[in-house]
Amino acid sequence: MSNSYDIIIVPDPVLKQTAQPVSKVDAAVQKQMDKMLATMYEAPGIGLAANQVNLLNRVLVMDLARKDEGEAPTPICMANPEIIWESEELSVMQEGCLSIPQQYADVERPARVRVKYLNREGKQDELEADGLLSHCVQHEIDHLNGVLFVDYLSSLK
Ligand code: GNR
Ligand code: NI
């Protein structure tokens, strides 16, 4: 029994679909979070959304710790994430996506966001993010809404 999922790649239509809220964080959702983290670490990536592993519930995982530099893991698991505040200030960062191999582009987003979500224990939690974590959590929530970072790029560029 594998402890990781296969990651789906564009143009799989699941990447354009909207994921549905979980009714509660039960043992099955916890198991999914753990398996998504294993999949993300193996890839490797700093975030992963359920759509990318062919699941359509509103679950995402992230970890920005530099494992390759010996940092201890800092996994973040979210169910039903909602952006409850975003800064007017914007930030541009180069993004990539495990579902869009070998494409990287500058993406402009709110510089800071506050996100409300259910954590791995099923408790309401909040995260205020800036920098790469802010881009990552917005990128993952976009996935849950069927949006890819390339959707923001002008075809004129
Ligand atoms: O590994 C990833 N790196 C990344 C870099 C900048 C902004 C967002 C990301 S998320 C990405 C993994 C991924 O595709 N998550 O959906
Ligand atoms: Ni992605």
Side-chain angles (χ1 to χ4, degrees):
M1 240 178 49
S2 171
N3 195 42
S4 68
Y5 296 107
D6 289 328
I7 296 176
I8 63 176
I9 303 296
V10 284
D12 193 309
V14 173
L15 295 170
K16 307 299 298 182
Q17 289 187 256
T18 302
Q20 298 306 308
V22 303
S23 52
K24 60 178 294 205
V25 180
D26 59 11
V29 170
Q30 290 176 335
K31 196 170 163 188
Q32 176 188 337
M33 287 168 164
D34 294 346
K35 197 164 163 178
M36 285 176 62
L37 281 169
T39 306
M40 181 189 77
Y41 290 136
E42 187 177 275
I46 60 171
L48 191 68
N51 307 48
Q52 293 179 280
V53 295
N54 212 11
L55 297 171
L56 281 169
N57 59 5
R58 299 186 77 80
V59 173
L60 66 84
V61 298
M62 302 183 289
D63 192 337
L64 271 69
R66 300 293 305 264
K67 278 181 120 197
D68 56 336
E69 292 180 13
E71 290 184 22
T74 54
I76 299 171
C77 299
M78 297 186 175
N80 302 347
E82 285 176 55
I83 295 172
I84 56 170
W85 173 82
E86 55 185 47
S87 64
E88 288 180 30
E89 186 194 340
L90 302 176
S91 157
V92 176
M93 241 183 225
Q94 190 179 72
E95 298 194 10
C97 182
L98 294 170
S99 296
I100 313 174
Q102 296 172 37
Q103 279 201 53
Y104 304 89
D106 283 348
V107 180
E108 186 175 59
R109 300 183 183 275
R112 294 180 303 284
V113 291
R114 192 159 185 90
V115 180
K116 181 181 112 171
Y117 62 98
L118 298 176
N119 64 22
R120 194 181 173 287
E121 281 65 58
K123 302 274 194 237
Q124 282 283 352
D125 210 341
E126 288 186 13
L127 173 76
E128 188 159 325
D130 65 5
L132 183 57
L133 182 60
S134 176
H135 275 257
C136 187
V137 73
Q138 292 178 70
H139 175 120
E140 303 314 334
I141 293 171
D142 275 351
H143 273 300
L144 300 179
N145 293 326
V147 174
L148 301 172
F149 82 91
V150 290
D151 297 339
Y152 295 117
L153 309 179
S154 165
S155 58
L156 296 177
K157 279 186 187 163

